[in-house]
Each structure stands twice: as C-alpha cells, then as structure tokens.
C-alpha cells in the first residue's frame, strides 16, 4: 500500500529520480575531472574510481531503501508516542517499520549505479571466475547490510535518547569520505572507516580486493573482512535494537 501511494504521482517520482541522477552525476563528473587531470588518485585511475563509486552508491541504495526513510522518523515516533502503537502490533516492530516504508525513491540511485558499474567493468582488468563473481555479489550484499545496520542503530537510539536524528549527519559525513580510496586519509580516519563507522566496506575494501590493490590495515584479510562486515554489523544492530526496546520508557522517561 505504501508503494502504491508513491506510484500515484508518477511524474513527480520520475522527476525525483532524474534529479538524483543529475546530482550524483555532477559529483562524479567533478571527481572524474580531478582524477583525469592528475592521472590517478593514490594509484586509482578513473575506471577504478568509477567502479568504486558505483559500488559505493549501489550498496548504499540497497541498504538505505530498507532503513533510511523508515528509521529517520523514529525520533518523531518516540517524541509523539506513536511508537507505542507499533510496539503492541502482533508483528516484529523492526519488520513493520522496514516493510511498511520500503523506499522506491532509490530507483534513480540504482539506475545510475548499475549504469556506471556496467561501464567500469568493461574498463578494468578483473579475472572473472565463479568464485570472483560470488565474491562480488556477497560483498555487495554485505555492504548493503552495513548501511542498513548503521541506520537501524541510529534510529533505535531514539528509543533511549529521544533525539538521534543528528547522528545521520555523522553517518553521511563518513559516507562521503567513503567515496574515495581509504588510503588517501590519515590512519585515524582509516581506522574509523574500517571499525567504528565501517563504510569503507561498501566501497574501497571490496573493490580493492577485486582489482588486486592493497588495503590499508587489513592486508591479506581484506577479502574475508568485507564478506563478514555485513553479517557482523547486522548482529550488532539486532543486539542494539533489542537493548533499546528493553530500555524504552517513552519520551517522558
């Protein structure tokens, strides 16, 4: 029903998708000009960067479509007491929130990401095989899980702190950093992107492994780490969600 309401205004939806493509296209064009002007960015050529950017956007879009719009409103649900009505429904509150607000608005992101990825894959040298193809798909799913898990944790925190929306600004700050190879940043930021806010696993780490590039701090463990990152973050998010539910007392405390 939620999706059908969004489809009631196809013109507005199409314009939103076009604007998303134009916005990201402008950012990617600027990056392409910079990389082309200097030849490479920390050893990453423009085709390499195109694959990184497309992987970054696709993993984000898949994860955010199940989490961003849904959990961004948690603060308001808690403040107004609306969350109480959801908690007494005979269904998992998390599942209800996620699937009652599935965001098809990310279609523009996905179309751009798939198009850019299709071009980039024709330009880079990857020795394709069945294990490599499975690794590619597994790390894409893992990256989407990382995004969904982080946004779930931010939204869930509102049940304890009431105010949590400001944390999305922190998330998107690191998300923008994840558009670039982790190696260009100082070690403290590298650590942040691989541990506390592990958005390096939706871009640099899986793409570097596919292209045979070195991964700072992780080395030979990079391939295994980017496969496990999503499931581990999902388990942490589930634990955090349950802890917040147990400690929820309403906006009035």
């Amino acid at each position: 029903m939620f999706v059908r309401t969004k489809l009631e205004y196809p013109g507005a939806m199409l314009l939103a998708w076009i604007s998303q493509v134009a916005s990201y296209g402008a950012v990617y064009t600027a990056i392409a000009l910079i990389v082309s002007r200097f030849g490479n960015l920390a050893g990453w050529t423009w085709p390499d960067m195109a694959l990184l950017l497309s992987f970054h956007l696709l993993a984000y879009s898949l994860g955010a479509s199940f989490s961003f719009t849904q959990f961004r409103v948690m603060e308001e649900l808690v403040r107004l007491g609306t969350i109480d009505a959801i908690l007494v429904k005979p269904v998992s509150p998390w599942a209800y929130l996620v699937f009652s607000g599935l965001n098809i608005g990310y279609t523009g992101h996905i179309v751009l990401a798939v198009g850019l990825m299709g071009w980039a894959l024709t330009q880079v040298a990857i020795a394709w095989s069945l294990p490599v193809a499975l690794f590619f798909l597994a790390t894409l799913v893992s990256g989407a899980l990382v995004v969904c898990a982080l946004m779930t944790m931010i939204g869930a925190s509102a049940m304890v702190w009431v105010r949590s929306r400001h944390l999305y600004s922190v998330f998107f700050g690191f998300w923008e950093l994840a558009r670039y190879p982790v190696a260009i940043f100082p070690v403290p930021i590298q650590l942040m992107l691989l541990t506390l806010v592990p958005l390096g696993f939706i871009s640099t780490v899986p793409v570097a492994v596919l292209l045979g590039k070195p991964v700072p701090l992780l080395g030979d463990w990079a391939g295994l780490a980017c496969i496990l990152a999503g499931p581990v973050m999902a388990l942490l998010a589930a634990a955090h969600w349950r802890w917040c539910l147990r400690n929820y007392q309403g906006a009035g405390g």
Side-chain angles (χ1 to χ4, degrees), residues 19-184:
S19 67
Q20 290 169 0
V21 172
S23 175
Y24 282 98
V27 173
Y28 295 168
T29 299
I31 295 174
L33 291 173
I34 293 172
V35 175
S36 298
R37 173 67 179 81
F38 293 99
N40 66 79
L41 182 64
W44 292 67
T45 63
W46 167 237
D48 299 337
M49 283 296 301
L51 183 58
L52 185 150
L53 291 169
S54 61
F55 207 100
H56 172 268
L57 184 59
L58 186 55
Y60 163 75
S61 302
L62 293 174
S65 63
F66 287 95
S67 56
F68 178 48
T69 301
Q70 295 89 325
F71 293 107
R72 184 180 56 181
V73 300
M74 280 291 291
E75 184 177 302
E76 286 297 299
L77 293 178
V78 171
R79 188 177 64 83
L80 298 176
T82 315
I83 188 68
D84 295 357
I86 297 175
L87 296 179
V88 298
K89 291 182 181 293
V91 66
S92 162
W94 182 87
Y96 178 84
L97 286 167
V98 167
F99 293 105
S100 64
L102 181 64
N103 191 354
I104 61 173
Y106 282 100
T107 302
H109 295 63
I110 294 172
V111 169
L112 175 60
V114 171
L116 183 60
M117 182 177 290
W119 176 84
L121 288 174
T122 65
Q123 304 298 311
V124 297
I126 298 178
W128 288 105
S129 63
L130 181 58
V132 172
L134 291 175
F135 174 83
F136 181 91
L137 294 175
T139 52
L140 186 59
V141 173
S142 181
L145 283 174
V146 168
V147 173
C148 191
L150 287 171
M151 291 192 171
T152 296
M153 294 172 76
I154 292 173
S157 298
M159 289 189 282
V160 177
W161 298 341
V162 181
R163 300 291 185 182
S164 69
R165 189 177 294 178
H166 61 281
L167 295 176
Y168 285 110
S169 298
V170 178
F171 172 91
F172 282 108
F174 282 98
W175 175 77
E176 290 189 3
L177 293 180
R179 285 176 173 166
Y180 304 94
V182 171
I184 71 173

Side-chain angles (χ1 to χ4, degrees), residues 188-209:
I189 295 181
Q190 293 180 19
L191 284 171
M192 291 285 286
L193 287 171
L194 297 175
T195 54
L196 189 60
V197 190
L199 291 174
F201 291 104
I202 74 170
S203 54
T204 296
V205 181
V207 176
V209 173

